[in-house]
Amino acid sequence: MLKGKHIILGISGGIAAYKSVYLLRLLIKAGAEVQVIITPNGKEFITPVTLSSLSGKPVISEFFTANTGEWHSHVDLGLWADAMIIAPATASTIGKMVSGVADNMLITTYLSSKSKVFVAPAMDLDMWKHPSTQRNIETLKADGVSIIEPGAGELASHLVGKGRMEEPENIVKVLDDYFSQTEDLKGKKVLITAGPTYENIDPVRFIGNYSSGKMGFAIAEECANRGAEVTLVCGPVSIKTENPNINRVDVVSAKEMCNNCVNLFADTDIAILSAAVADYAPATCSESKIKREKTDSMTIELVKNPDIAATLGKMKSDSQMLVGFALETDNEKENAIRKINNKNLDWIVLNSLKDKEAGFQKDTNKITMLSRIGQEIPFDAKLKTEVAKDIIDTIIGK
Ligand code: PMT
């Protein structure tokens, strides 16, 4: 899977840098095109001449080539790469990635990178265990970076513990798995709903909910990364899409979301409905701001919104797959199964507000997937980016 892939190999200053030479050799052997970026400290451990001989490309370390004044564009490099692997990543480089300290070519390229980033940390065991390092690792994960955990064994300091950079063969396998995974939705058209809907009461007020869109956006990114043509119909959210292959349609109300989904559904292979759609909307929307009255109460008449999932469920053909979500607070499984039947879903992703890791706005979710034919698959609490992988793997039977 690595053949022809553009890989940036970032090397920072640790003794494990000697392993990066072998990693580079393996990547080249697998057919990848590799651009090495090494930090100034990295050069103290291995020479650019060794690396450029293996990669067939000049090694980049500084912002400028001193004698010619040629400027190295971190932005172009960030766009060029299909994946970036930083191996070894020292505690210092990890800290700079977390806080965006762009004082060398490697970090500026990381900040400009549009591709998936992998980090293979290597450091002494106490540095690895330090709360600061662990905090930084968690932040990188939340930023979508994949951490290739260090192994345990005798370290350069002769201390024994966790901190050894993962072996190059295993790092290549991680990259290979990543690229093989990206192809498995190629040719599929996926429709995803995300975020809340806002049902206007007057020009300044609405009925809405707390959905941030994080869950649906994670699913959209995962599908696009795996080669699908994705249309993401989303309510008002403040997050951005990363993958340029996501066609984003912004809507406000449930009716708008429904109209877009109905128009798109005939040309869809898989629809995944993660949006928190308002079930009711005000019967009328006042054209001017409703004034505070002397009366102690007021009534807003609400009318039922269309049920998007049920509408698509009625339109669904045998070749299409419809996946809904169920956000529950009680009788979770029973309610989810009822929704599968009422809405003619193939799968439902159940998440419960009783789980502290699940729900609106969180970076994590804890789900159980239930199918029309009675399968029940529980998952541990994970980052929503990882939950998205589990959902896709499950529905395509991986
Ligand atoms: O956006 P985040 O902050 O990351 O939060 C994620 C989430 C909690 C919103 C998400 O994980 C989730 O559970 N989404 C579904 C929330 C919901 O509205 O569930 P529900 O049980 O009310 O609806 C069942 C299904 O019918 C859902 O697929 C929903 O999109 C769909 N529905 C509901 C009402 C309606 N009028 N039309 C619909 O299509």
Side-chain angles (χ1 to χ4, degrees), residues 99-116:
S99 44
V101 178
D103 66 349
N104 66 37
M105 198 55 199
L106 181 55
I107 305 295
T108 44
T109 306
Y110 163 67
L111 294 177
S112 309
S113 176
K114 289 266 179 207
S115 73
K116 180 77 187 163

Side-chain angles (χ1 to χ4, degrees), residues 281-321:
T284 55
C285 171
S286 169
E287 276 180 22
S288 50
K289 186 179 169 194
I290 299 170
K291 301 283 175 299
R292 187 183 166 91
E293 301 289 348
K294 286 205 177 85
T295 51
D296 283 343
S297 67
M298 72 176 291
T299 304
I300 299 171
E301 190 195 347
L302 300 178
V303 291
K304 223 177 199 165
N305 267 331
D307 184 324
I308 305 168
T311 308
L312 301 188
K314 285 195 186 111
M315 296 167 67
K316 185 164 70 93
S317 69
D318 288 347
S319 63
Q320 290 177 303
M321 185 181 284

Side-chain angles (χ1 to χ4, degrees), residues 211-213 215 273-275 306 308-309 325 339 343 351 361 384:
S211 172
S212 63
M215 189 65 253
L273 309 178
S274 71
I308 305 168
F325 268 70
K339 283 176 188 173
K343 298 174 193 249
N351 43 184
Q361 302 187 354
K384 282 180 175 165

Side-chain angles (χ1 to χ4, degrees), residues 193-196 209-217 237 239 254 257 272-280 305-311 323-328 339 343 345 348-351 353 358-362 364-365 367 384:
T193 66
N209 60 68
Y210 296 112
S211 172
S212 63
K214 283 180 187 172
M215 189 65 253
F217 275 56
V237 293
I239 49 180
M257 187 174 273
I272 305 175
L273 309 178
S274 71
V277 185
D279 283 316
Y280 290 87
N305 267 331
D307 184 324
I308 305 168
T311 308
V323 182
F325 268 70
L327 178 63
E328 303 296 339
K339 283 176 188 173
K343 298 174 193 249
L345 305 173
I348 200 152
V349 183
L350 168 62
N351 43 184
L353 286 184
F360 295 123
Q361 302 187 354
K362 305 225 163 85
T364 55
N365 203 355
I367 62 162
K384 282 180 175 165

Side-chain angles (χ1 to χ4, degrees), residues 78-94:
L79 291 172
W80 172 84
D82 296 311
M84 181 169 186
I85 164 80
I86 303 179
T90 58
S92 159
T93 286
I94 289 167

Side-chain angles (χ1 to χ4, degrees), residues 239-297:
I239 49 180
K240 293 193 175 104
T241 50
E242 300 283 333
N243 192 305
N245 294 330
I246 299 173
N247 170 31
R248 173 174 171 166
V249 180
D250 287 285
V251 298
V252 176
S253 68
K255 270 196 193 125
E256 270 182 89
M257 187 174 273
C258 188
N259 290 341
N260 277 282
C261 289
V262 166
N263 289 339
L264 290 158
F265 190 60
D267 199 22
T268 294
D269 299 297
I270 303 170
I272 305 175
L273 309 178
S274 71
V277 185
D279 283 316
Y280 290 87
T284 55
C285 171
S286 169
E287 276 180 22
S288 50
K289 186 179 169 194
I290 299 170
K291 301 283 175 299
R292 187 183 166 91
E293 301 289 348
K294 286 205 177 85
T295 51
D296 283 343
S297 67

